[in-house]
Amino acid sequence: MQNEPDIKAKVLAKIGRGDVHKRSHAYFVMQVVVVAVLLACALALSVFVLSFAIFSVHESGEQFLLGFGQRGVLTFFALFPWASAVADIALFVLVEWLIRRFKFGYRIPILRALLGILVFAAIGGIMVNLTPLHATLLRMAEQNELPVLGEWYESIHASHSDYGVFRGTINSIQEGRFVISHDDNDHDADDGTWTVIPPAGFDMATVATGERIYVAGTPVQPGIIQAYGIQQLSGDM
Amino acid sequence: MDTPKDDATDEALAVEAQGNNDAAFGVLIERYQGRLLRYGHKFLADDDHIEDIVQEVFIKTYQNIRGFDTDRKFSPWIYRIAHNAFVNAIRKKHREPVISVDFDIFTDHPQEQYDPAEEEDRKAMQSAVESGLDALSPIYKEILILYYIEEMSYQEIADILHVPLGTVSVRLRRGREALKKEIKGRGNNE
């Protein structure tokens, strides 16, 4: 029989000399607790970020762009809150990595785990949007009462005139055009008055003075917009 | 210090070792020393420090013995520690990722059905694994060692490599194919 090296004697000698110590049971319990807490936080954050993205698209009116033809779809993707989407993807990867720290985690193929996390976050995100959480935070942000996340929320109503997207209230309706204005008392770029020329075939009878409206179009002259899509905003937007 | 019984299971010895019975840990070293050295020699092949690495595996095992879940089997647990140590050794030596991105762990794979012909093939594969592993990628080399030399089950291999069961199945099939190709290539060259 081949002589085996005396690993046993060497290891037991190190143990005997006190060079090596067993980690306590509490160490391993703490390890599991820390991973579980991080996992819960990462999951909650991913739900919050996804719910914010859904709220942001709805609240800004950007979802209307999808009904404005190819140009509207392209503008929708240009205005999509990609930062939130990227942050959420990073959080999904973190959640998946944390799940893998558990004994059951590595038994699930990565794509299936990521899909499960996405479904969980989407359902959670939709449920959060059924609560007044984001609307309350947005109101606080607009009243400068929301630290840290304030700018994030204020960006929802930011001007996108550089992308040809305008929001405002109809001041007057003239022959084949109407005038809208927006003023949220901050004198920034999204405040102003514009004359909107609706797209061909638009039924002027569908709009009325005082209505809030979402317009996608091209400025043809200073203050005049040739619209390719118009949508009335509901009272809560 | 209690003297452990010769017929005590690995798991029972691990429970003893979790307490203050270092003699029980000594028995576990006796039981696994040869197996881990063989695993290391096959997996690392040209590494001169396998004994040191295996010694380090036992030290890590001792340090973490209280983290061992006594409801589970001991052998995949200690092999997992050895797997990590061997992969780190290769990484250190080659300064590159040993097991690069493995797309097999991304998707579901059906577990392949048991083929009776495989059992007849097993002896032939065992000797092929003994002689023809060097040219294979570490990802296939290791799974062939665990299955044919260490005689681990699919579930045990999944627990050692931390991959889904379907991935073990597909990786093993690919490893077998790569090994057969390698042996055939050698036969043609001779």
Side-chain angles (χ1 to χ4, degrees), chain B residues 160-178:
Chain B
I160 294 165
L161 302 181
H162 278 195
V163 294
L165 217 49
T167 303
V168 173
S169 175
V170 75
R171 218 185 258 182
L172 198 53
R173 178 171 52 76
R174 289 194 186 138
R176 264 195 294 260
E177 285 165 4

Side-chain angles (χ1 to χ4, degrees), chain A residues 50-64:
Chain A
L50 190 63
S51 69
F52 174 80
I54 296 169
F55 176 78
S56 160
V57 168
H58 172 77
E59 179 64 27
S60 64
E62 279 155 19
Q63 83 270 25
F64 298 133

Side-chain angles (χ1 to χ4, degrees), chain B residues 78-107:
Chain B
I78 192 170
Y79 268 80
R80 171 72 191 165
I81 296 172
H83 158 83
N84 287 339
F86 296 153
V87 168
N88 283 339
I90 300 179
R91 197 173 287 155
K92 219 181 270 178
K93 199 167 178 179
H94 299 282
R95 294 181 185 283
E96 62 188 38
V98 185
I99 305 214
S100 48
V101 179
D102 176 15
F103 291 100
D104 286 338
I105 62 169
F106 279 79
T107 52

Side-chain angles (χ1 to χ4, degrees), chain A residues 5 8 22-23 106 111-112, chain B residues 17 19 30 33 64 108 159:
Chain A
K8 178 185 167 184
K22 284 177 206 153
R23 292 190 172 114
Y106 61 83
L111 284 183
R112 203 186 331 150
Chain B
E30 278 170 24
Q33 174 174 311
N64 293 298
D108 279 315
D159 289 339

Side-chain angles (χ1 to χ4, degrees), chain A residues 5 7 10, chain B residues 36-37 40-41 44-57 85-86 89-90 92-93:
Chain A
I7 292 175
K10 286 180 186 167
Chain B
L36 296 186
L37 282 168
H41 280 296
L44 304 181
D46 56 346
D47 201 302
D48 304 326
H49 306 288
I50 291 165
E51 286 169 21
D52 294 338
I53 299 169
V54 170
Q55 188 178 312
E56 200 51 42
V57 168
F86 296 153
I90 300 179
K92 219 181 270 178
K93 199 167 178 179

